[in-house]
Every structure is written in C-alpha cells, then in structure tokens.
Amino acid sequence: MVDKKNDINQVVSIEVADDYALICLNNPPVNAASQLLRQGLQDAMAFCTAQSDIKAIAIYGAGRTFVAGADIKEFGKPPQAPFLPELVNTIEQSSTPVISILHGTALGGGLEIALGTHARVGIKGLRLGLPEIHLGLLPGAGGTQRTPRLVGIPAALEMILSGRHVPAAEALELGLIDQLCEGEARDVAINAAKDVLAGRLKTRRTDQITVKPNHAHLDEVEAKLMATQAHLFSPHKCVEAVRASSLPINEGLKVERHAFMECMDTPQRAGLIHAFFGERAVSNIPEAKGAAREIAKIGIIGGGTMGSGIATACLLAGLSVKLLETAQENLDRGRTTITKNLEGAVKRGKLSQDKFDMVLSNLDGSLEISNFSDVDLVIEAAFEDMAIKKEIFTKLDAVCKKGAVLASNTSYLDINEIAAVTKRPEDVIGLHFFSPAHVMKLLEIVVADKTAPDVVATGFALAKKLRKIGVKAGVCDGFIGNRILSYYSKTASYLVLEGASPEQVDQALERFGFAMGPHKVGDLAGLDIGWMTRKRKAATRSKQDRYAGDVADKICENGWFGRKTGQGYYVYDGSDIRPNPEVRTIIEATRTKLGITPKSFTENEIVDRYMTAMISEAVRVLEDKIAARPVDVDMVFLFGYGFPRHRGGPLHYADEIGAEKLIERIETYAKDDDHYWKVPNLLRDMAAQGKKFADLNR
Ligand code: 3HC
C-alpha cells in the first residue's frame, strides 16, 4: 500500500510505500526534461536513496507520455543545472535499484533517462527513439554510449542516424526494454517495483556492459554519409560518438559531450529547431483554432495531376470524394491516376492493402456539377484561367448546399475576384496545394477579404486531417510562395545571362542544400509551363522589367521541355543526366544578341545573389501582410519548395546574414539593375533598429 505522497516541486512528486517509492514526472504536455523536471527528479532521487527502507524506485510519467526529450525551448539559452548527463549518471549509480515505466513516447533525453535506470518496462503502444539528429544534435545524455551497450553498435547507430520511433515490440526484441505489458503507468510502476523486490524483474547497470568495437561497420556508415550528407554536421558527430562507445564509459561520455556541444553551436542546430517549432507555430494562431465547419464529403473539380493528387490526399485521410470532369475519358484518366497514387501509398507503407479497396470505394466520379449538391467542401483544380474559374464558381453557387465551403486551388489568381461572382463570398477561400498533392506537405490557406472565420478554421482543420502544414496567406499574385518564387527565379536566369552556366548555378544551390537546382527543377516540372506563363503575361510586363526568359524561350521553341521530352537544360539518357551542349550555344548566342560580356561567378556569389533575391521578396510579402510572420514564409519554403530544412527557411537564414549586410548586397547589385534590386523599407527599419526577423515572430 502506498502511504505517503510528497510534491518535490510543481512537476515531480513521490509516493512512498513500505519498501519502495514511485517517482511521478508530470510536466505537460510531453513531460519535457526542463530544468524544473531535472531538479525535481534529482531531488526525488536524493530523497529516495537516503531512505534505507526504500529498496526499489520506479519512475513513471503522468499524462500522455513518459519524457519526450530534453526541453527543446532551453536550447540556445545558457544551460542551467542540474544537467541531464549528470542526472542520468546519478540514477545509474544509485545502489537502490531504479526502474523506468515507459508509456507513450520515450524520446531523446527521455530514453536516455530510461537507459540510466536498471530496468525498463514498456507499456503497449510505446515508441522509443533518439530523434536528436532531426534537431541537428546527437543524443547528449549518454544515448550514444548506453544504446550500443544494450543493442550493439549497428542497431544503435541505425536508431541514432534515422531518429526513427522504434515500436515497443521491436524494442523488446532488440533488448532496449526488458518487459512489455499493459495497464496504467502508475499501476505498472507498483507491480514493477514489487517484481524487483521479489526478484521477478532483474536489474543491471547499463554502464557495466562492454561494447564490442565494430570499426568496419562504422567506417562503412561514415563513407555512405560522406557520399550523401557531407554538408550536414551532426550525422558525422553521431558516428564519432558511437565509435567511442567501445571505450570505458567515462571516456565515451566525454567524447559524446564534446560532440554534443559542437553540434549545439552550429547554425544547422538553430535552423532545425526553428523548423521544429515553426511547423507547429503556423497553425498556432486564433484563426486556426476557431469553430470549423463539418467536412466529410469533398467535391473536386478537375482530374488532372493536381486534382487527382488532392483527391488521393483526401481519400487517404478517410474522406469521401466526388471527382468532376468534363468528359468520361478525363474522368477515367483521373481515376487511373488516383488508383496509381493509392498503389504507391501501399508500397510506401502509408496505406495497408486491406484498406486499399475500402479507400478507393470512397471515390465517386461525375460529369454533372449538379451532383455537388451534397458536398461539404469543393476544391476547384481546373485550368488556371480566370474566365473558367468564374464560370465554375457561378455554377457552384447555384448548386452547392448552404454552408458548403467553396475553395479554389489556384496558384496565382485573385480569390476576391473569384468570390465576387458568388452570392456567398464568405464561403470562398483559396486552398493552394503543391504537386504531387498527396505527397507535398504544404497547404496555403488563402484568406480573401470576405472569407468567414469558420471557413478559415475549416481550411486549417482540413490541413490537419490531411496531415499537411497549413499556412495562412493573403491574396496577391502567387500568394506567399509563388509570388516569391516568380521574383527570385529570375535571378537564376540573370546569372546565366551574365556568365554562369545552368549547371554551375544548380550545383551551387545544391551544395547550399536544395535537393535540386532551379534548372533541374524546371526540367522536371516541364519548361513549357513557364513558357506559357511568360507568353500569357507578355502583354502586361512592365517595360522596365529586364526580361529573364530569353534562353528558356529558345529552348522551348526547339520543343525541349525538360525530362518529359528527353532534353531541356540537361539531356536525359536513362539514369545519365548531362548538361545540354545545345543550350550552351543558345546561351552564347543570347549573350551576343544582348551585348553581354560574360563574367565569372564563384559558388558563394551565386548563392548570395539567389538568396538575397528570395529574401528581398519575402520581406515585401511581409510588408504587404500577405504572410503574417517571418515563420509563415519559412514554413512555406520548407514544406513547399524544398528549401533545406537545416537552414530553417529564407528569413531564418536572413537573420544569419543580418539586415545590414543584406542591404549592402542589394545596393551593390542595384548598381547593375536598380529596377530589379530594391531595398525593402522593412529591411532598412530593421537594420536601423538592430532587429532580427526572429523578433517579428514573437
Ligand atoms: N521540448 C519542448 N517542447 C516540446 C517537446 C520538447 N522536447 N516536444 C514537444 N514539445 C511541445 C510542442 O512544441 C507542442 O507545443 P505547442 O502545443 O505549444 O505547439 C507540444 O509539446 C505538443 O507537441 P506536438 O504537437 O508535437 O504533439 P504530438 O502528439 O503530435 O507529438 C511528440 C508528440 C512525438 C513527442 C513530438 O512532440 C516530438 O517529436 N517531440 C520532440 C521529441 C524530440 O525531438 N526529443 C529529443 C529532444 S533533444 C534531446 O532530448 C537532447 C538530449 O539528447 C540531451
């Protein structure tokens, strides 16, 4: 019988029975190992180990989880004692046996606390992991030393480098936990303590296990990392730390600590942590939290790549979908694409084969818009043409039920103008998906002047249901992402006109961290898309705008649209990709025609120009209140445009450069083209006030 309860502090309490004690960690929402939790746990351990009648200690978590890691909010601030590594050592060195009861998640520092205890009991549904790598770190409280002691070097390294959540059954098989059971954490803790006292649950110190060195495996992994992730810092440090696990533990822990502190000091760590919180911050706004409308039935207009991708995403989220097309053959093509997408989801483990038929049975096709009378939300993904959109929305207004949300997936067009053709502009919103829509995580939620608050909340609720990152955007040509893209992509073309080669530009940006340079992206998306847009916009182009499409137009005139035609900026020959020699000729001819004497650019100069252009337009997007905060711009780029996550996003990266330096760069570039390069007022104000974009997020 537990007979005494004692609050150590606000987040840690102890219950003492005749011969054992329970330590409860209660730091909602995820029991992060904050200073208060560490202090409480240290004091609780001191209290328990000082009582000679306490013969076993069980640590468990209150609420939905055991400890989900160190408190990430503390990173980047001056560290405060007690420190997690020492606390784990204290637990491990306790002569009273200590067991941990793990439910929900035991991640990072949470798993490291558990590794320091003398036995681990998991509760069904538990997931364990060392996800520090996703934050630009390595496990820094003994994880790189104690995990190999329990599971061996290869399994430990795989866990640490992937950061994946290991399911409970696998953890038991690996030897990461000693038992797996069902029940409430506190009940399991009582039983486990009694089992230890009765000798039914064996305990041992992890630090007393020795690790067999495995340098061959470590060398192999490091070589692979050098080939694929040479630009990232922490993966290499993880290997270095795990390599030290075959040393006596104190030496290994020293290597780990040093490597952890090195990672902590990197901009990559700051960028990745910004991404972690940013991902959550975009929907942490009042507009996203209001009452949303019920959505179960979705109508999708257009069965092309985009419409089919959106339909796939909705079906995967358990929604029922009506797909509208203009002709039976288009409808059939849409259904085939969706079926293929779902088959791909099965292959990737996102959908079980059992559920495949059921999910597909939720898809219905139609050639009549009148069949949309019962849908809760329509997403129009038809051709990008204002007249077509207006016709569709007029019809939707006539047939859709009262309260249905009418959304357009337009990438550029004015949602206010579209809404104006209906008698219910308050129900109209932009929901801008990114292709392939069932894979890409970003959803721009474009709020028009008259969009009702519950329609905005519905947009965010849909994003959550589809497991996408919803970001609020205002109405303008291209919203947040495409408006910025339209601007900075010209820089890539100007660089080529002025002397760089397309592959040199691509390589510089790939080394910066983009998965693909802009010319490779153009080839993949199809160069004809940009060509059509340039032709469409030709009449409205300002005379002062320096044309950026000379080279791309010539490539397209040859019928070279990129990958799908076998050549574009590059020639595609099976898996062989090489620069297109004909493009070099086109570039040289264009330079001659324009009277440009080519100059040479270093890799840094290319990156600086490209990033400065991206940042400049991102700042104007903030000035125009198209994005509410810098973090919204950052997340749009991370989740929609392949911006390297470890750089945190364009405006997080801008803080690394600083407002003054950015102004200096823009003013230098403006000497050659003062129409394109202009210093945004906000940037000048920030430089004058010594402000950072991070300050504008607060
Ligand atoms: N520190 C501080 N806050 C955290 C946190 C952490 N470790 N983990 C989650 N949170 C916060 C989130 O920011 C969010 O706050 P909000 O409500 O204000 O937006 C709240 O807790 C709930 O988190 P989620 O919305 O992510 O909840 P989910 O249920 O979707 O996911 C989770 C829960 C799987 C635990 C997920 O939050 C997660 O993966 N957390 C990070 C885990 C992690 O990376 N741990 C390692 C930390 S580094 C470390 O331990 C270093 C050590 O080796 C020394």
Side-chain angles (χ1 to χ4, degrees), residues 29-30 32 64 68-72 108-109 112 131-132 135 139-140 276-277 280:
V30 297
R64 67 195 225 210
D71 188 339
I72 305 172
E112 292 173 301
E132 287 87 344
L135 303 172
F276 177 86
F277 285 119
R280 288 154 179 85

Side-chain angles (χ1 to χ4, degrees), residues 29-30 32 64-65 68-73 75 84 105 107-110 112 127 131-132 135 137-141 165 257 260 276-277 280-281 284:
V30 297
R64 67 195 225 210
T65 181
D71 188 339
I72 305 172
K73 289 194 199 88
F75 293 165
L84 201 54
T105 48
L107 302 174
E112 292 173 301
R127 289 173 298 140
E132 287 87 344
L135 303 172
L137 291 169
L138 51 89
H165 292 185
R257 193 74 202 146
F260 181 79
F276 177 86
F277 285 119
R280 288 154 179 85
N284 213 347

Side-chain angles (χ1 to χ4, degrees), residues 380 389-397 407 418 421-422:
E380 166 277 311
K389 308 257 179 205
K390 283 185 174 173
E391 192 187 326
I392 290 173
F393 275 77
T394 307
K395 286 186 186 158
L396 287 174
D397 193 21
I418 297 173
V421 301
T422 72

